[in-house]
Amino acid sequence: QVQLVESGGGLVQAGGSLRLSCAASGGTFSRYIMGWFRQAPGKEREFVATISWSGGRPYYADSVKGRFTISRDNAKNTVYLQMNSLKPEDTAAYYCAGRIGTIYSTLPRDYAYWGQGTQVTVSS
């Protein structure tokens, strides 16, 4: 089974950009549908973006559509989340997740494998 480790979080001014990375090991990465979720203090974990094994079917939450881009490099066993035009509302711990399947899901319970999270803080 796959192990996931996120990196790239940090503190950024509103309007700025960050790129998160999620490195996978211990599994066949190319077979996994990958997703990003986030969780702010006092709030439930929410869906951000997901991408198919081939990278051809990205799907985004309405709150980030047009600002965030999910991508993957199967040769490097890595999935990315490029975050542009960041807003204070984007402040959260961001989690990488994986699942085996053929249909996208926005539900955390459908993802079997999770990273430890990386903190993103956007200041006003």
Side-chain angles (χ1 to χ4, degrees), residues 9 16 18 21 23 32-35 40 42-43 45 55 61 65 68 77-78 94 98 106 114 118 120 122:
L18 285 173
S21 298
Y32 286 80
I33 296 173
M34 302 299 297
K43 299 185 68 177
R45 188 164 297 186
K65 189 175 182 180
F68 291 10
N77 289 347
T78 302
Y94 283 71
T106 64
W114 292 84
T118 185
V120 172
V122 184

Side-chain angles (χ1 to χ4, degrees), residues 44-119:
E44 296 183 353
R45 188 164 297 186
E46 66 173 343
F47 168 77
V48 175
T50 186
I51 190 168
S52 72
W53 66 269
S54 68
R57 293 181 179 271
Y59 180 76
Y60 302 92
D62 289 342
S63 59
V64 307
K65 189 175 182 180
R67 299 188 298 119
F68 291 10
T69 302
I70 187 171
S71 62
R72 67 191 296 163
D73 186 340
N74 289 343
K76 297 181 178 179
N77 289 347
T78 302
V79 62
Y80 305 95
L81 185 69
Q82 178 66 46
M83 305 184 294
N84 298 326
S85 301
L86 283 162
K87 305 174 181 179
E89 307 94 274
D90 296 318
T91 295
Y94 283 71
Y95 297 88
C96 178
R99 64 187 292 265
I100 296 178
T102 58
I103 301 174
Y104 285 156
S105 174
T106 64
L107 304 176
R109 70 171 182 266
D110 288 338
Y111 290 78
Y113 306 105
W114 292 84
Q116 297 299 308
T118 185
Q119 180 67 35

Side-chain angles (χ1 to χ4, degrees), residues 15-29:
S17 299
L18 285 173
R19 188 182 74 162
L20 306 184
S21 298
C22 174
S25 62
T28 306
F29 177 75

